Amino acid sequence: MSAQWWRDAVIYQVYVRSFADSDGDGVGDLPGITSRLGHLRDLGVDALWVTPFYRSPQHDHGYDVADYLDVDPLFGSLEDADRLLDRAHELGLRVIVDLVPNHTSSEHPWFQAALAAPPGSPERARYLFRDSDDGPPNNWGSVFGGPAWTQVADGQWYLHLFDTTQPDLDWRNPEVPAMFEEVLRFWLDRGVDGFRIDVAHGLFKEESLRDQVLESDESASSVALTGDHAMIELKLRDEPMWDQPEVHDVYRRWHEILDEAGPDRMAVAETWTQTPESTAAFVRPDELDQTFNFAWLLAAWSAEAFATVITDTFAAVEPVGASPTWVLSNHDVVRHPSRYGGGPRGLARARAATMTMLALPGASYLYQGEELGLPEVDVAAEHRQDPAALRLGTPGRDGCRVPLPWSGEQAPYGFGPGSGQPWIPQPDDWASLTVAAQQADPGSTLSFYCRALSARREHARAAGDSVDLLDLGEDVLAFRRGPLTVVLNCGSRTVDLPEGEVLLASAALDSHTLPADTAVWLR
Ligand code: NOJ
Ligand code: MG
């Protein structure tokens, strides 16, 4: 693989709590991941991105960090992290870790010191504490619902764009960038191959902390986790809390730090910005390497919508020379088989969309469990743990975070050595979805993913960077990439295929035609 290995990599997201449990406490952990790395090698991915495993009270399942330089005992130890890195590297897998710079946990020593110190103190100046006599200092809402400000005992308010236990740092205070440079170096020295940067478009807020100008139909949260389906909704709006120009200086500095560590270290940013241009700014040559491209994940099942996503994606990254990225599922959104309608049809569509994505130039990010075709689970209200669900009163994001089924007939399906239910209960009809059951079945989603990833290595990787959309009718997405022709049927009628040898299909084909909800690669 080249130094810039990430440009065409398949990167598998491991949600630590829910991948594999080594000690029987019902929560996934680092030794659990290490013990199951063979699954990722057999699947044929290039790298894994591991969600936060640092010391944390787990109010947002690790996205609330109390110590960036240590592993939470729930997940293991620093030695377990080293072992995970070593074993992954032995197997030829790269490892990306999550970095959470926008906010700390309220249990971080800095925030505890801020609470113990008086208003105006240097301890408070690492966060955004403000005075206000008549309610919160401005009208900003938390992404997780409710106001973005909480009042402390002496009357001051602090800003938290997420949960109350996730106070936002003041990135204008030089102590803050200095601390994160140390964190980057610490993990680079331990051998990580890159970072996934949480809320990378956050960090700086407009210095005045002025009110957000809201249209009459807008609610006071910027990126809303809305409705039944925890779908994230993007709209053009006034956002003094996100995407401020100063943030780019931070990433220019981080670029230097990554470079010093070697040419093969990378960073991928989570940037919910408002336009393709503002997203592309994060991947200018002297900043970060990739941003997640959420456009496809937000698009409805429609050939026209998918074609627009493809065109817009290339148009956005080409001017800055960055590689595109693609993603259909992650730990914050409804799993794509369920988004596409659920049941056999949702799964057929999900396989077809995945296969289409995997044919495109750039990097593809997969989310654990999608290789098993797992559906979104309707988690009973009493088992919900997502702070967004608790604050918004919605089902939230637990339904895509249910622990993986590995083997066996009943919960915990080999997830861990215990016999009881893991931290989120698994459904009682998952026996046929386990890794072991699917390995034995050539028609399974797992077997399909293995075939698709192997076909990608064999036929797509060397097929060049340019993609030409083809017109095969209104409900059909089709494109050519070098010798490859890819066709996805989003309509309800079977369509005739252009000539060519079938390399890969998302479902069995009867003749040289493509049924609804199916995709094919031809050569
Ligand atoms: C984005 C993460 O993906 C999400 O899970 C988390 O809740 C927020 N950032 C806050 O850190
Ligand atoms: Mg455990």
Side-chain angles (χ1 to χ4, degrees):
M1 243 187 277
S2 70
Q4 297 201 331
W5 59 271
W6 57 86
R7 291 186 76 94
D8 61 0
V10 176
I11 299 162
Y12 180 104
Q13 181 190 353
V14 171
Y15 192 69
V16 180
R17 298 178 71 87
S18 302
F19 187 70
D21 173 25
S22 72
D23 57 3
D25 65 354
V27 180
D29 44 47
L30 299 186
I33 301 172
T34 306
S35 74
R36 295 289 191 182
L37 287 173
H39 172 66
L40 302 188
R41 183 212 38 213
D42 295 348
L43 187 59
V45 303
D46 303 297
L48 49 152
W49 145 34
V50 188
T51 59
F53 48 78
Y54 317 106
R55 272 193 192 266
S56 157
Q58 302 292 315
H59 292 298
D60 190 19
H61 296 154
Y63 287 97
D64 49 325
V65 180
D67 182 350
Y68 292 85
L69 304 183
D70 201 3
V71 173
D72 197 281
L74 183 64
F75 300 131
S77 62
L78 278 173
E79 290 68 42
D80 292 325
D82 292 342
R83 270 192 282 273
L84 166 58
L85 286 166
D86 288 347
R87 184 70 190 127
H89 290 156
E90 273 166 29
L91 294 175
L93 297 165
R94 313 252 182 178
V95 182
I96 296 173
V97 297
D98 223 305
L99 186 69
V100 188
N102 179 69
H103 44 265
T104 68
S105 160
S106 52
E107 290 185 22
H108 190 283
W110 274 6
F111 195 74
Q112 289 299 312
L115 289 181
S121 59
E123 287 82 358
R124 290 223 171 159
R126 296 173 182 136
Y127 294 90
L128 291 155
F129 278 88
R130 291 294 181 273
D131 295 317
S132 173
D133 294 333
D134 50 351
N138 68 26
N139 69 348
W140 298 359
S142 152
V143 172
F144 291 166
W149 296 90
T150 288
Q151 200 166 24
V152 299
D154 57 38
Q156 276 208 314
W157 301 75
Y158 68 90
L159 179 73
H160 53 87
L161 291 174
F162 294 89
D163 191 53
T164 51
T165 61
Q166 295 168 299
D168 281 59
L169 288 160
D170 184 354
W171 272 83
R172 290 191 168 78
N173 181 334
E175 282 187 71
V176 173
M179 191 263 266
F180 279 95
E181 289 179 20
E182 192 192 322
V183 173
L184 284 171
R185 290 207 170 88
F186 177 87
W187 289 103
L188 287 168
D189 286 348
R190 289 198 106 84
V192 306
D193 299 287
F195 298 93
R196 176 265 186 192
I197 299 162
D198 188 65
V199 199
H201 59 304
L203 282 55
F204 287 85
K205 288 68 180 154
E206 207 174 292
E207 200 162 10
S208 64
L209 299 183
R210 65 170 174 86
D211 274 356
Q212 177 180 28
V213 181
L214 293 167
E215 303 291 330
S216 52
D217 63 336
E218 286 176 349
S219 68
S221 67
S222 296
V223 178
L225 296 156
T226 52
D228 301 344
H229 280 297
M231 269 297 297
I232 293 174
E233 189 187 281
L234 281 190
K235 286 205 230 165
L236 266 186
R237 53 198 290 169
D238 178 46
E239 293 191 332
M241 67 288 281
W242 305 120
D243 200 11
Q244 300 300 306
E246 296 90 329
V247 77
H248 295 286
D249 293 331
V250 173
Y251 298 134
R252 285 189 194 101
R253 181 77 197 105
W254 289 12
H255 181 98
E256 292 170 4
I257 294 173
L258 286 162
D259 254 8
E260 283 161 22
D264 55 353
R265 312 294 180 102
M266 60 85 78
V268 53
E270 182 201 32
T271 52
W272 291 98
T273 61
Q274 304 215 46
T275 63
E277 293 74 27
S278 57
T279 299
F282 288 82
V283 288
R284 285 176 287 193
D286 59 347
E287 295 196 35
L288 303 174
D289 300 293
Q290 290 182 332
T291 59
F292 290 111
N293 166 23
F294 294 120
W296 200 330
L297 171 157
L298 295 167
W301 177 257
S302 140
E304 195 189 344
F306 294 165
T308 306
V309 167
I310 292 173
T311 310
D312 290 356
T313 300
F314 288 117
V317 293
E318 263 161 13
V320 290
S323 50
T325 66
W326 311 98
V327 55
L328 290 169
S329 277
N330 66 32
H331 67 295
D332 290 330
V333 298
V334 171
R335 285 184 176 279
H336 61 289
S338 301
R339 280 204 321 268
Y340 293 148
R345 189 173 78 166
L347 182 58
R349 289 179 167 183
R351 283 164 61 148
T354 300
M355 211 184 102
T356 309
M357 165 180 92
L358 288 173
L360 287 163
S364 282
Y365 284 82
L366 306 180
Y367 176 50
Q368 67 176 42
E370 67 169 89
E371 78 279 24
L372 306 177
L374 296 187
E376 187 79 2
V377 175
D378 185 10
V379 176
E382 69 267 28
H383 294 304
R384 287 183 200 149
Q385 307 204 20
D386 175 9
L390 305 179
R391 283 177 69 95
L392 290 162
T394 60
R397 302 168 293 176
D398 294 309
C400 65
R401 299 174 175 180
V402 176
L404 289 192
W406 292 91
S407 60
E409 299 300 317
Q410 62 200 34
Y413 301 106
F415 172 68
S419 55
Q421 281 284 10
W423 71 281
I424 302 179
Q426 297 161 312
D428 54 20
D429 59 355
W430 271 15
S432 62
L433 293 177
T434 65
V435 172
Q438 297 203 36
Q439 270 165 346
D441 172 8
S444 70
T445 301
L446 178 59
S447 299
F448 163 73
Y449 265 72
C450 291
R451 279 198 302 279
L453 289 171
S454 140
R456 174 183 163 96
R457 285 191 300 278
E458 193 178 341
H459 302 292
R461 264 198 175 151
D465 282 344
S466 97
V467 163
D468 294 312
L469 291 174
L470 306 175
D471 184 3
L472 295 187
E474 214 190 341
D475 295 325
V476 182
L477 174 75
F479 59 83
R480 191 165 291 136
R481 178 182 175 198
L484 269 189
T485 300
V486 177
V487 190
L488 167 67
N489 186 354
C490 297
S492 51
R493 280 194 304 260
T494 297
V495 298
D496 290 330
L497 284 173
E499 273 180 29
E501 173 200 352
V502 173
L503 296 174
L504 181 70
S506 63
L509 303 183
D510 277 342
S511 55
H512 207 68
T513 58
L514 192 67
D517 306 323
T518 309
V520 69
W521 294 9
L522 303 166
R523 176 176 58 185

